[in-house]
Amino acid sequence: MAALLVTRAAVAADLQSFETVARGQYLAVVADCAACHTKPGGKPFAGGVALKTPFGTLVGPNITPDPDAGIGAWTDDQFVAALHDGRGRGGIRLFPAMPYPAYTKMTREDALAIRAYLQTIAPEPDKIEANRLPFPLSIRFNMAVWNALNFNPGRIEPDSSKSAEWNRGRYLVDALGHCGTCHTPKTLLGADNVSAYLQGGPLQGWFAPNITADSRKGVGGWSIDEIVRYLKTGVSPDSIATGDMTEEIVHSSSKMTDSDLKTIAVYLKSLVTPKESVPVSLAASDPRMVAGQAIYKDNCAACHTDAGTGTPGLFARLARSNTVQSDDPTTLIRVVLMGSQGVSTADAPTSPAMPSFGWRLNDAQVASVLTYIRNTWGNAAALISTDQVNAIKAKLASSSN
């Protein structure tokens, strides 16, 4: 008994050490805890971030050490159970907007380091009602069925046939970074469609892109250094981060070590997907291409150039761009209609922007110019219809009301 008490005391002391707290702070950054638990202008980790899902709205709860409103009264085992099993204090079932299907792969040691860090931040008394789903989806017992169908608990095991760098990258992508939460398409029940792992999916009015090694639609054409730079600054030759990815970069990947970012790049570059037939580019003489080229010349070429090469660090390259050739054109249409604001980081503070053209171009013109962009300079992708543009415009209008 005495030996057991000494062991527990040693573990408790270790969890309060400066090294453990500092490591927990870094792991909380990698896990992007602030994205769901710190609202703009709010106190750190006091909750209040609205998370819009296809099933309704959830709100990120308070995870400060406040014993009533936060998690200060939770035991270590209860905290770990939330990450590993999707069970909150008292056994309450969590919804997978809290990405426990990914966090279950995290080591207990890393989970407890994050808790050690959270215990050091200022407690906040804000009580948050997280469950705002409509009935009957708000019934938490439903998650028992969902988990039985879709949840595979368990820690990630290193692959001995791969390098330590590759294994670290997989751990960061699949466990801590939970990249699949956004970049893997979902089933009708909201679970990951594992057959299309990291191949992109719709996300709150955007399309989270394919981040596999697919050379046309993914990051296969990017170098290791270009992936690292994108995660650090939000800028790559083909893309300037917008939408929800800006928050991830600002709060998470821009603060990660270059060595960790490199392991992520190494892992992503290893994800070779089955080859698909490449669409045939629309003929330049097609009336839609002719119209689109004229619209591009008048509205886009000044920044993106006549050859679609863009301006490094300011305006994305369109030629042979994975974003441009995506199967889902939602992000392209949205950016033309609404404009975009690039991310600003310490290493790349410029925050380049693109103005809205929704006031200037009608739906048919937007469809034509994007069809042209997706089928020239070596690009090849399905044409965009006026109906597609109109549908996304209607969704944008509905979400702003």
PDB file of all heavy atoms in Angstrom, residues 367-388:
ATOM      1  N   ALA A 367     -20.114  30.624 -63.963  1.00  0.00           N
ATOM      2  CA  ALA A 367     -19.977  29.247 -64.454  1.00  0.00           C
ATOM      3  C   ALA A 367     -19.003  29.182 -65.630  1.00  0.00           C
ATOM      4  O   ALA A 367     -18.158  28.285 -65.712  1.00  0.00           O
ATOM      5  CB  ALA A 367     -21.341  28.693 -64.853  1.00  0.00           C
ATOM      6  N   SER A 368     -19.090  30.160 -66.539  1.00  0.00           N
ATOM      7  CA  SER A 368     -18.223  30.158 -67.725  1.00  0.00           C
ATOM      8  C   SER A 368     -16.770  30.387 -67.373  1.00  0.00           C
ATOM      9  O   SER A 368     -15.878  29.677 -67.864  1.00  0.00           O
ATOM     10  CB  SER A 368     -18.688  31.234 -68.716  1.00  0.00           C
ATOM     11  OG  SER A 368     -19.939  30.907 -69.275  1.00  0.00           O
ATOM     12  N   VAL A 369     -16.491  31.370 -66.515  1.00  0.00           N
ATOM     13  CA  VAL A 369     -15.093  31.672 -66.211  1.00  0.00           C
ATOM     14  C   VAL A 369     -14.452  30.528 -65.433  1.00  0.00           C
ATOM     15  O   VAL A 369     -13.276  30.189 -65.649  1.00  0.00           O
ATOM     16  CB  VAL A 369     -14.960  33.009 -65.463  1.00  0.00           C
ATOM     17  CG1 VAL A 369     -15.465  32.925 -64.018  1.00  0.00           C
ATOM     18  CG2 VAL A 369     -13.510  33.486 -65.491  1.00  0.00           C
ATOM     19  N   LEU A 370     -15.203  29.878 -64.537  1.00  0.00           N
ATOM     20  CA  LEU A 370     -14.633  28.761 -63.793  1.00  0.00           C
ATOM     21  C   LEU A 370     -14.480  27.525 -64.672  1.00  0.00           C
ATOM     22  O   LEU A 370     -13.524  26.756 -64.516  1.00  0.00           O
ATOM     23  CB  LEU A 370     -15.490  28.460 -62.567  1.00  0.00           C
ATOM     24  CG  LEU A 370     -15.380  29.502 -61.447  1.00  0.00           C
ATOM     25  CD1 LEU A 370     -16.292  29.148 -60.282  1.00  0.00           C
ATOM     26  CD2 LEU A 370     -13.939  29.634 -60.955  1.00  0.00           C
ATOM     27  N   THR A 371     -15.393  27.325 -65.592  1.00  0.00           N
ATOM     28  CA  THR A 371     -15.237  26.226 -66.544  1.00  0.00           C
ATOM     29  C   THR A 371     -13.978  26.440 -67.383  1.00  0.00           C
ATOM     30  O   THR A 371     -13.211  25.495 -67.633  1.00  0.00           O
ATOM     31  CB  THR A 371     -16.474  26.122 -67.452  1.00  0.00           C
ATOM     32  OG1 THR A 371     -17.602  25.726 -66.657  1.00  0.00           O
ATOM     33  CG2 THR A 371     -16.272  25.114 -68.569  1.00  0.00           C
ATOM     34  N   TYR A 372     -13.721  27.666 -67.780  1.00  0.00           N
ATOM     35  CA  TYR A 372     -12.503  27.985 -68.539  1.00  0.00           C
ATOM     36  C   TYR A 372     -11.259  27.718 -67.696  1.00  0.00           C
ATOM     37  O   TYR A 372     -10.315  27.052 -68.146  1.00  0.00           O
ATOM     38  CB  TYR A 372     -12.534  29.449 -68.977  1.00  0.00           C
ATOM     39  CG  TYR A 372     -11.219  29.948 -69.520  1.00  0.00           C
ATOM     40  CD1 TYR A 372     -10.776  29.567 -70.782  1.00  0.00           C
ATOM     41  CD2 TYR A 372     -10.412  30.790 -68.762  1.00  0.00           C
ATOM     42  CE1 TYR A 372      -9.552  30.010 -71.285  1.00  0.00           C
ATOM     43  CE2 TYR A 372      -9.194  31.240 -69.242  1.00  0.00           C
ATOM     44  CZ  TYR A 372      -8.761  30.843 -70.504  1.00  0.00           C
ATOM     45  OH  TYR A 372      -7.543  31.285 -70.993  1.00  0.00           O
ATOM     46  N   ILE A 373     -11.251  28.203 -66.469  1.00  0.00           N
ATOM     47  CA  ILE A 373     -10.086  28.035 -65.600  1.00  0.00           C
ATOM     48  C   ILE A 373      -9.811  26.550 -65.351  1.00  0.00           C
ATOM     49  O   ILE A 373      -8.661  26.111 -65.300  1.00  0.00           O
ATOM     50  CB  ILE A 373     -10.321  28.772 -64.265  1.00  0.00           C
ATOM     51  CG1 ILE A 373     -10.285  30.291 -64.487  1.00  0.00           C
ATOM     52  CG2 ILE A 373      -9.291  28.367 -63.208  1.00  0.00           C
ATOM     53  CD1 ILE A 373     -10.754  31.097 -63.289  1.00  0.00           C
ATOM     54  N   ARG A 374     -10.863  25.745 -65.215  1.00  0.00           N
ATOM     55  CA  ARG A 374     -10.711  24.322 -64.907  1.00  0.00           C
ATOM     56  C   ARG A 374     -10.330  23.482 -66.133  1.00  0.00           C
ATOM     57  O   ARG A 374     -10.077  22.283 -65.998  1.00  0.00           O
ATOM     58  CB  ARG A 374     -12.024  23.787 -64.308  1.00  0.00           C
ATOM     59  CG  ARG A 374     -12.203  24.162 -62.857  1.00  0.00           C
ATOM     60  CD  ARG A 374     -13.648  24.056 -62.391  1.00  0.00           C
ATOM     61  NE  ARG A 374     -14.245  22.741 -62.467  1.00  0.00           N
ATOM     62  CZ  ARG A 374     -14.131  21.797 -61.526  1.00  0.00           C
ATOM     63  NH1 ARG A 374     -13.386  22.029 -60.441  1.00  0.00           N
ATOM     64  NH2 ARG A 374     -14.758  20.637 -61.640  1.00  0.00           N
ATOM     65  N   ASN A 375     -10.258  24.118 -67.324  1.00  0.00           N
ATOM     66  CA  ASN A 375      -9.983  23.357 -68.540  1.00  0.00           C
ATOM     67  C   ASN A 375      -8.944  24.021 -69.444  1.00  0.00           C
ATOM     68  O   ASN A 375      -8.951  23.821 -70.664  1.00  0.00           O
ATOM     69  CB  ASN A 375     -11.282  23.130 -69.313  1.00  0.00           C
ATOM     70  CG  ASN A 375     -12.183  22.120 -68.645  1.00  0.00           C
ATOM     71  OD1 ASN A 375     -12.014  20.918 -68.810  1.00  0.00           O
ATOM     72  ND2 ASN A 375     -13.142  22.613 -67.856  1.00  0.00           N
ATOM     73  N   THR A 376      -8.039  24.774 -68.849  1.00  0.00           N
ATOM     74  CA  THR A 376      -6.957  25.375 -69.627  1.00  0.00           C
ATOM     75  C   THR A 376      -5.664  25.303 -68.841  1.00  0.00           C
ATOM     76  O   THR A 376      -5.674  24.905 -67.671  1.00  0.00           O
ATOM     77  CB  THR A 376      -7.313  26.837 -70.005  1.00  0.00           C
ATOM     78  OG1 THR A 376      -6.412  27.316 -70.996  1.00  0.00           O
ATOM     79  CG2 THR A 376      -7.277  27.742 -68.784  1.00  0.00           C
ATOM     80  N   TRP A 377      -4.543  25.610 -69.447  1.00  0.00           N
ATOM     81  CA  TRP A 377      -3.209  25.571 -68.830  1.00  0.00           C
ATOM     82  C   TRP A 377      -2.855  24.182 -68.296  1.00  0.00           C
ATOM     83  O   TRP A 377      -2.135  24.047 -67.312  1.00  0.00           O
ATOM     84  CB  TRP A 377      -3.086  26.586 -67.688  1.00  0.00           C
ATOM     85  CG  TRP A 377      -3.585  27.954 -67.987  1.00  0.00           C
ATOM     86  CD1 TRP A 377      -3.224  28.758 -69.024  1.00  0.00           C
ATOM     87  CD2 TRP A 377      -4.549  28.686 -67.224  1.00  0.00           C
ATOM     88  NE1 TRP A 377      -3.910  29.953 -68.962  1.00  0.00           N
ATOM     89  CE2 TRP A 377      -4.729  29.931 -67.864  1.00  0.00           C
ATOM     90  CE3 TRP A 377      -5.279  28.419 -66.072  1.00  0.00           C
ATOM     91  CZ2 TRP A 377      -5.611  30.902 -67.384  1.00  0.00           C
ATOM     92  CZ3 TRP A 377      -6.148  29.373 -65.594  1.00  0.00           C
ATOM     93  CH2 TRP A 377      -6.308  30.594 -66.245  1.00  0.00           C
ATOM     94  N   GLY A 378      -3.380  23.150 -68.900  1.00  0.00           N
ATOM     95  CA  GLY A 378      -3.105  21.798 -68.423  1.00  0.00           C
ATOM     96  C   GLY A 378      -4.113  21.280 -67.422  1.00  0.00           C
ATOM     97  O   GLY A 378      -4.021  20.120 -66.984  1.00  0.00           O
ATOM     98  N   ASN A 379      -5.084  22.086 -67.033  1.00  0.00           N
ATOM     99  CA  ASN A 379      -6.137  21.638 -66.116  1.00  0.00           C
ATOM    100  C   ASN A 379      -7.176  20.819 -66.878  1.00  0.00           C
ATOM    101  O   ASN A 379      -7.395  21.013 -68.075  1.00  0.00           O
ATOM    102  CB  ASN A 379      -6.846  22.832 -65.466  1.00  0.00           C
ATOM    103  CG  ASN A 379      -5.935  23.617 -64.551  1.00  0.00           C
ATOM    104  OD1 ASN A 379      -4.962  23.079 -64.027  1.00  0.00           O
ATOM    105  ND2 ASN A 379      -6.235  24.894 -64.347  1.00  0.00           N
ATOM    106  N   ALA A 380      -7.839  19.934 -66.161  1.00  0.00           N
ATOM    107  CA  ALA A 380      -8.926  19.146 -66.745  1.00  0.00           C
ATOM    108  C   ALA A 380      -9.901  18.797 -65.637  1.00  0.00           C
ATOM    109  O   ALA A 380      -9.549  18.109 -64.680  1.00  0.00           O
ATOM    110  CB  ALA A 380      -8.394  17.880 -67.402  1.00  0.00           C
ATOM    111  N   ALA A 381     -11.128  19.308 -65.751  1.00  0.00           N
ATOM    112  CA  ALA A 381     -12.144  19.042 -64.733  1.00  0.00           C
ATOM    113  C   ALA A 381     -13.522  19.278 -65.329  1.00  0.00           C
ATOM    114  O   ALA A 381     -13.664  19.951 -66.365  1.00  0.00           O
ATOM    115  CB  ALA A 381     -11.932  19.945 -63.517  1.00  0.00           C
ATOM    116  N   ALA A 382     -14.540  18.745 -64.670  1.00  0.00           N
ATOM    117  CA  ALA A 382     -15.904  18.863 -65.166  1.00  0.00           C
ATOM    118  C   ALA A 382     -16.318  20.321 -65.266  1.00  0.00           C
ATOM    119  O   ALA A 382     -15.900  21.168 -64.456  1.00  0.00           O
ATOM    120  CB  ALA A 382     -16.851  18.105 -64.238  1.00  0.00           C
ATOM    121  N   LEU A 383     -17.133  20.611 -66.254  1.00  0.00           N
ATOM    122  CA  LEU A 383     -17.626  21.977 -66.403  1.00  0.00           C
ATOM    123  C   LEU A 383     -18.545  22.330 -65.245  1.00  0.00           C
ATOM    124  O   LEU A 383     -19.075  21.458 -64.556  1.00  0.00           O
ATOM    125  CB  LEU A 383     -18.338  22.145 -67.743  1.00  0.00           C
ATOM    126  CG  LEU A 383     -19.586  21.295 -68.024  1.00  0.00           C
ATOM    127  CD1 LEU A 383     -20.848  21.925 -67.445  1.00  0.00           C
ATOM    128  CD2 LEU A 383     -19.742  21.081 -69.525  1.00  0.00           C
ATOM    129  N   ILE A 384     -18.717  23.616 -65.020  1.00  0.00           N
ATOM    130  CA  ILE A 384     -19.586  24.111 -63.952  1.00  0.00           C
ATOM    131  C   ILE A 384     -20.831  24.714 -64.581  1.00  0.00           C
ATOM    132  O   ILE A 384     -20.738  25.486 -65.546  1.00  0.00           O
ATOM    133  CB  ILE A 384     -18.844  25.146 -63.091  1.00  0.00           C
ATOM    134  CG1 ILE A 384     -17.724  24.454 -62.325  1.00  0.00           C
ATOM    135  CG2 ILE A 384     -19.799  25.848 -62.119  1.00  0.00           C
ATOM    136  CD1 ILE A 384     -16.860  25.387 -61.508  1.00  0.00           C
ATOM    137  N   SER A 385     -21.977  24.351 -64.057  1.00  0.00           N
ATOM    138  CA  SER A 385     -23.237  24.823 -64.624  1.00  0.00           C
ATOM    139  C   SER A 385     -23.753  26.038 -63.874  1.00  0.00           C
ATOM    140  O   SER A 385     -23.385  26.298 -62.723  1.00  0.00           O
ATOM    141  CB  SER A 385     -24.286  23.707 -64.562  1.00  0.00           C
ATOM    142  OG  SER A 385     -24.667  23.463 -63.206  1.00  0.00           O
ATOM    143  N   THR A 386     -24.645  26.740 -64.533  1.00  0.00           N
ATOM    144  CA  THR A 386     -25.308  27.887 -63.900  1.00  0.00           C
ATOM    145  C   THR A 386     -26.102  27.439 -62.680  1.00  0.00           C
ATOM    146  O   THR A 386     -26.141  28.139 -61.657  1.00  0.00           O
ATOM    147  CB  THR A 386     -26.237  28.576 -64.908  1.00  0.00           C
ATOM    148  OG1 THR A 386     -25.481  29.008 -66.041  1.00  0.00           O
ATOM    149  CG2 THR A 386     -26.927  29.781 -64.284  1.00  0.00           C
ATOM    150  N   ASP A 387     -26.707  26.257 -62.763  1.00  0.00           N
ATOM    151  CA  ASP A 387     -27.486  25.742 -61.634  1.00  0.00           C
ATOM    152  C   ASP A 387     -26.596  25.529 -60.404  1.00  0.00           C
ATOM    153  O   ASP A 387     -27.028  25.770 -59.268  1.00  0.00           O
ATOM    154  CB  ASP A 387     -28.169  24.427 -62.009  1.00  0.00           C
ATOM    155  CG  ASP A 387     -29.335  24.630 -62.972  1.00  0.00           C
ATOM    156  OD1 ASP A 387     -29.798  25.781 -63.101  1.00  0.00           O
ATOM    157  OD2 ASP A 387     -29.762  23.637 -63.597  1.00  0.00           O
ATOM    158  N   GLN A 388     -25.365  25.038 -60.605  1.00  0.00           N
ATOM    159  CA  GLN A 388     -24.451  24.838 -59.476  1.00  0.00           C
ATOM    160  C   GLN A 388     -24.138  26.168 -58.794  1.00  0.00           C
ATOM    161  O   GLN A 388     -24.115  26.260 -57.562  1.00  0.00           O
ATOM    162  CB  GLN A 388     -23.152  24.181 -59.946  1.00  0.00           C
ATOM    163  CG  GLN A 388     -23.262  22.703 -60.263  1.00  0.00           C
ATOM    164  CD  GLN A 388     -21.969  22.153 -60.822  1.00  0.00           C
ATOM    165  OE1 GLN A 388     -21.588  22.468 -61.949  1.00  0.00           O
ATOM    166  NE2 GLN A 388     -21.285  21.337 -60.039  1.00  0.00           N
TER     167      GLN A 388
END
